[in-house]
Amino acid sequence: MSAWRAAALALLLAGCAAQSTAPSTDTGTMTGGPTEPRNRARVHTDLAAAYYERGAMGVALQELRAATEADASYAPAYGLYGLVYQELKENAFAQDNFERGLRLAPNDPEINHYYGRFLCQNGQPQEGIKHFMQAVKNPLYQAPWRSYSAAGVCSLQQNNVKDAENFFQLALKLDPDEPASLLKLGEIRYRQGQIDDARKLLARHNKLVSPSAESLWLALRIERRLGERVAEQSYANQLRRRFPGSPEYQALQRGQYD
């Protein structure tokens, strides 16, 4: 399972639990409770999430159909529908289900977050950022730093470095160990010529997650800028060994460092 899918699953399961036993993150009122249709919808959505985690998208869809047949107003089911269809690259179905989930629970932070991410990945960054900001407004949201970080990535897609920098800083204020923000802010600092700050941010990132082509490429360029040829060559060797087909390695071969 990808890290992205694991994170999506964790947040949506939190949303399922909130809608079944606790005050709704949308209205603050009790939803579901012991009613049989809502419980069936929750159980089938939980099962769908487990199959989604395993990559069994067909079975996940079957469980989600059962969930919405039991209770057509259970918003987390539609949020998970959106994620499943996004994984299947059925973008029209994904969008329809994200939007249906938000019609039922317009302030649901998890559905807003993943719909925002879907929009950013499909050429609508401004709309995506609006949904991230809607997510972080909810005081019951369990992971607002993720939405700030994703909004930063969306801003970079528009070459809006100032807003991206602000979003990454907000994410790191809430969670100093948010990996994506550390890496992206490190890249911004590198391009601003703040090499020591870039190096520190990247060092924190590398303590948290396994290296990616992007993080190795940034590390290589930082060490090159500092004149540390041994470290630069070490990162180049890792990039070649681990990610030989990556755009970053291709840039290294062409000597295009910036």
Side-chain angles (χ1 to χ4, degrees):
M1 178 181 60
S2 69
W4 183 90
R5 194 187 297 164
L9 178 65
L11 285 180
L12 273 174
L13 284 178
C16 294
Q19 285 222 5
S20 62
T21 61
S24 165
T25 55
D26 180 27
T27 63
T29 59
M30 292 300 291
T31 60
T35 59
E36 186 64 21
R38 177 55 55 96
N39 279 339
R40 290 203 307 272
R42 176 184 57 79
V43 169
H44 283 295
T45 301
D46 286 350
L47 286 170
Y51 285 114
Y52 170 81
E53 179 181 2
R54 299 174 192 171
M57 301 301 164
V59 185
L61 288 174
Q62 292 175 16
E63 292 294 340
L64 288 170
R65 291 188 195 103
T68 53
E69 287 171 1
D71 185 349
S73 67
Y74 189 54
Y78 297 103
L80 186 53
Y81 251 136
L83 286 170
V84 171
Y85 279 124
Q86 185 177 2
E87 189 79 13
L88 295 172
K89 303 188 186 308
E90 296 282 355
N91 286 350
F93 288 124
Q95 184 160 3
D96 286 346
N97 281 282
F98 283 130
E99 290 179 351
R100 184 166 184 179
L102 288 174
R103 284 196 296 272
L104 292 167
N107 297 323
D108 183 283
E110 287 81 21
I111 301 176
N112 270 295
H113 174 85
Y114 286 105
Y115 187 37
R117 188 161 183 167
F118 170 84
L119 291 169
C120 283
Q121 292 174 347
N122 287 279
Q124 300 181 66
Q126 277 300 114
E127 287 301 309
I129 290 171
K130 289 179 184 178
H131 284 281
F132 293 136
M133 295 303 96
Q134 184 68 22
V136 301
K137 288 178 183 177
N138 193 310
L140 300 182
Y141 188 19
Q142 296 182 15
W145 53 87
R146 290 185 180 178
S147 291
Y148 282 126
S149 180
V153 173
C154 253
S155 297
L156 287 179
Q157 290 178 13
Q158 305 174 87
N159 294 318
N160 188 339
V161 176
K162 182 178 179 181
D163 281 356
E165 183 176 0
N166 289 335
F167 284 133
F168 293 136
Q169 288 174 328
L170 285 168
L172 291 171
K173 183 176 181 180
L174 294 170
D175 180 5
D177 290 334
E178 206 285 307
S181 295
L182 289 168
L183 179 58
K184 295 296 186 181
L185 189 56
E187 178 73 34
I188 290 172
R189 292 287 180 262
Y190 170 81
R191 293 189 178 280
Q192 291 172 337
Q194 300 179 40
I195 306 303
D196 287 339
D197 286 346
R199 197 185 205 186
K200 290 175 184 177
L201 288 162
L202 186 59
R204 282 169 57 192
H205 171 274
N206 290 344
K207 290 179 181 178
L208 298 167
V209 295
S210 298
S212 63
E214 184 178 3
S215 67
L216 289 171
W217 181 231
L218 177 57
L220 183 156
R221 289 179 293 151
I222 288 172
E223 299 305 326
R224 179 180 177 83
R225 186 76 65 86
L226 292 171
E228 298 289 347
R229 299 308 181 198
V230 173
E232 177 191 347
Q233 189 59 50
S234 174
Y235 288 121
N237 291 339
Q238 291 183 60
L239 187 59
R240 182 182 65 253
R241 184 173 67 254
R242 296 182 183 217
F243 306 103
S246 66
E248 290 83 359
Y249 182 62
Q250 302 306 314
L252 173 63
Q253 288 187 306
R254 294 191 299 268
Q256 295 177 343
Y257 294 97
D258 291 305

